[in-house]
C-alpha cells in the first residue's frame, strides 16, 4: 500500500506557503504520483481565503498535527472471541492466526478482557490437586468438543464444575476411586465396559461419556434417563476424549479482566509507554464508541507509518506541523535560510534565494515541461505577488520577475492589477476576526543564541488603523510572548505603498539602545524601506539580539 504523502507549509501559513503546497502537489500528480495531497498546518489568513475563493480552489487538508497515532500501526481486523467460546476453539484461533493475545468481546464487540497464550499455558498446564480432575464446562460445550451425541439428557449452557474419572479398571476398583466425590459433579468416561457404565448410572453420576462410538445397551440408557444421568456417545477414543473434555472449558474461565486499553486517536507515544512499562504483552485499541479496533504489541512499534511529508516554504522543525520530526520527510522546497533537521535517507532538498517559494515551484513546472492549468498558474502568481509585495520587496530577484512573466501569460492576468486586488481586498487589521488572529496569522519563531523571539507581519495601506489599535496590539503581543515562552514578541506593520514598516515589540527593553532605527515611542520603531521579515527584519534582529 502506498504511503499518503502530504505537501505542507509552515504553521501560521501565509499565501506563499499554501499556494506552494497546492501547486507542488498538483505538479506531483501530473507527474504520476497519485498519492500526493496538499495540506496546511494552520488556518489560512484572509488574503489566502480571498485568493482561493476568487480562483475557485478548495482549501488544502488541515493537519493540526502529524504525530503518529495508534490507528496508524494497528491492523483493523483483530481476531476476537466470545466469552462462551471453548478453549479448544480458542487454541485453534491462536494457531490459525499466529497470535499471542486473544481479546474477548461482548455482543457489541466491546472488549471485556484478554486471554494471553503464555498465561493460558501456564494456568492450564500447571497441575494442582483439583486441576488433575477438574473440568469447567457446560453440557452443550462439552458435547460440541467431543463431537458427541446425546443418548439421554439434553443440552444446557449452564457452566458446571465437574470431576473427571476414567473407567478403565474393574468395577470394585472404580467404585473405590470415586468414593467421596459428589455424584452430581462427576464426569465418567469409559469404553465398552457395561459394568462400569452400570456402576456409574447406579451411583447417579452427572455425565457418562461412552467413547469409541461403541454401542450402549438400551436398558442402561433407560436407567440413565431415570437416574438423571446424561449419557453421551463420542467417536473419539478415551485418551482423546479426556483431552478434549478439558478443552471444553469456556474462555470466560481464563479471561484477564485487568487488560491495558488505549484509544485509536491517542498518540503512538502513549502506546509505547503502555507496552514498555505495563508488563502486559499487548494493548487493546478501541474506537471512540468503545468497540475493539485492533491489538497492539511491541512489534507494532516497528510498523512503518502510512504517511510522509514534503515541506514547502520552510525547512525548520520549529516552524513545521507538530510531529513532523516523527515521520519521514521526503522533500524540502524552500527559499529561506537553512535550519533543516537531519534525515535518515538522502532527500530532494531544493532551496533558492528568491522572493517566493512559488517561484521555485513554477520553475519546476517549466523545467519538467508541464504546463500549469490556468487556476494553478494564477495561484502561483498570487503567491509570488504576496511574498514579494507586488515585486517591491527587497527579496525580489530577477528570477521572480521572470517567473511572474511566465505565469501571468498562462493565467491570463496582469500581475500588477492582480497584486493590487489581492492587497486592497485584504489589507489591514479589519480583515481578521480578531487582533490576536491578526498577530498570530503569520507569526514565526526564531532564536538568537539563547534568546527566543517571534515576529508577525500584517500588510496595511496607511498606518491610521494601526495607531488606533496600538495599545490593544501591545496587550496581544504580551499575551503571545507569555503563552509561547518567548523572550520577545514583535509585530511588523508594513505599508505596501510607502514601503515602510512600524515595528511594535514586547520584551527585551534593552533593544532600544541597539536597535539602530528611530524609536517613535516606547517599544515602537520606524523602519523606513523595510518590507521583508526574511531578508531585512529577522537578520537585523538576529544580529542585535545576538550582541546582547
Amino acid at each position: 500500500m502506498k504511503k499518503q504523502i502530504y505537501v505542507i507549509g509552515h504553521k501560521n501559513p501565509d499565501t506563499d506557503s499554501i499556494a506552494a503546497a497546492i501547486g507542488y502537489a498538483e505538479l506531483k500528480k501530473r507527474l504520476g504520483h497519485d498519492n500526493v495531497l496538499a495540506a496546511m498546518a494552520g488556518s489560512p489568513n484572509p488574503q489566502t481565503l480571498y485568493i482561493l475563493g476568487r480562483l475557485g480552489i478548495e482549501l488544502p487538508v488541515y493537519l493540526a498535527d502529524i504525530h503518529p497515532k495508534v490507528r496508524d500501526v494497528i491492523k483493523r481486523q483483530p481476531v476476537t472471541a466470545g466469552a462462551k467460546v471453548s478453549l479448544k476453539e480458542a487454541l485453534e484461533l491462536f494457531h490459525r492466526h499466529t497470535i499471542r493475545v486473544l481479546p474477548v468481546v461482548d455482543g457489541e464487540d466491546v472488549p471485556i478482557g484478554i486471554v494471553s497464550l503464555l498465561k493460558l499455558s501456564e494456568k492450564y498446564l500447571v497441575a494442582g490437586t483439583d486441576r488433575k480432575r477438574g473440568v469447567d464446562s457446560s453440557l452443550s460445550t462439552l458435547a460440541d468438543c467431543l463431537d458427541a451425541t446425546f443418548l439421554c439428557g439434553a443440552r444446557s449452557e449452564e457452566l458446571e464444575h465437574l470431576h473427571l474419572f476414567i473407567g478403565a479398571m474393574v468395577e470394585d476398583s472404580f467404585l473405590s476411586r470415586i468414593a467421596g466425590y459428589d455424584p452430581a459433579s462427576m464426569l465418567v468416561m469409559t469404553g465398552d465396559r457395561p459394568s462400569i457404565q452400570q456402576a456409574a448410572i447406579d451411583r447417579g453420576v452427572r455425565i457418562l461419556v461412552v467413547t469409541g462410538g461403541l454401542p450402549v445397551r438400551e436398558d442402561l440408557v433407560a436407567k440413565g434417563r431415570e437416574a438423571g444421568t446424561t449419557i453421551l456417545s463420542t467417536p473419539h477414543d478415551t485418551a482423546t476424549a479426556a483431552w478434549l473434555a478439558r478443552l471444553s472449558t469456556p474462555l470466560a474461565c481464563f479471561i484477564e479482566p485487568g487488560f491495558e486499553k488505549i484509544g485509536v486517536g491517542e498518540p503512538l507515544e502513549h502506546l509505547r509507554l503502555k507496552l514498555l512499562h505495563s508488563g502486559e504483552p499487548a494493548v487493546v485499541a478501541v474506537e471512540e464508541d468503545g468497540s475493539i479496533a485492533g491489538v497492539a504489541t511491541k512489534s507494532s512499534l516497528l510498523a512503518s507509518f502510512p504517511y510522509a511529508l514534503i515541506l514547502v516554504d520552510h525547512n525548520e522543525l520549529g516552524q513545521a506541523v507538530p510531529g513532523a520530526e516523527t515521520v519521514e520527510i521526503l522533500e524540502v522546497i524552500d527559499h529561506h535560510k537553512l535550519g533543516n533537521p537531519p534525515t535518515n535517507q538522502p532527500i530532494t532538498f531544493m532551496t533558492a534565494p528568491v522572493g517566493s517559494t512559488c517561484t521555485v515551484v513554477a520553475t519546476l513546472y517549466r523545467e519538467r515541461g508541464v504546463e500549469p492549468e490556468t487556476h494553478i498558474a494564477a495561484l502561483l502568481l498570487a503567491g509570488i505577488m504576496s511574498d514579494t509585495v507586488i515585486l517591491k520587496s527587497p527579496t525580489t530577484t530577477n528570477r521572480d520577475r521572470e517567473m511572474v512573466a511566465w505565469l501571468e501569460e498562462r493565467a491570463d492576468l496582469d500581475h500588477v492589477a492582480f497584486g493590487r486586488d489581492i492587497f486592497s481586498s485584504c489589507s489591514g487589521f479589519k480583515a481578521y476576526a480578531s487582533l490576536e488572529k491578526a498577530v498570530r496569522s503569520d507569526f514565526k519563531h526564531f532564536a538568537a543564541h539563547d534568546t527566543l523571539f517571534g515576529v508577525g507581519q500584517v500588510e496595511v495601506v496607511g498606518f491610521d488603523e494601526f495607531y488606533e489599535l496600538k495599545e490593544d496590539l501591545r496587550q496581544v503581543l504580551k499575551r503571545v510572548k507569555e503563552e509561547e515562552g518567548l523572550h520577545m514578541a514583535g509585530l511588523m506593520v508594513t505599508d505596501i505603498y510607502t514601503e515602510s514598516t512600524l515595528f511594535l515589540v514586547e520584551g527585551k527593553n534593552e533593544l532600544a539602545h541597539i536597535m539602530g532605527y528611530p524609536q517613535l515611542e516606547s517599544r515602537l520603531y520606524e523602519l523606513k524601506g523595510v518590507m521583508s521579515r526574511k531578508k531585512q527584519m529577522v537578520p537585523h534582529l538576529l544580529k542585535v539580539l545576538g550582541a546582547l
Side-chain angles (χ1 to χ4, degrees), residues 12 52 162 179 359 458-459 523 532 540:
N12 303 323
L52 294 179
L162 304 168
T359 296
V458 175
E459 282 97 6
R523 302 188 184 91
S532 170
H540 181 70

Side-chain angles (χ1 to χ4, degrees), residues 385-396:
M385 291 295 94
S386 174
D387 241 30
T388 64
V389 194
I390 320 179
L391 301 180
K392 292 180 180 180
S393 171
T395 60
T396 306

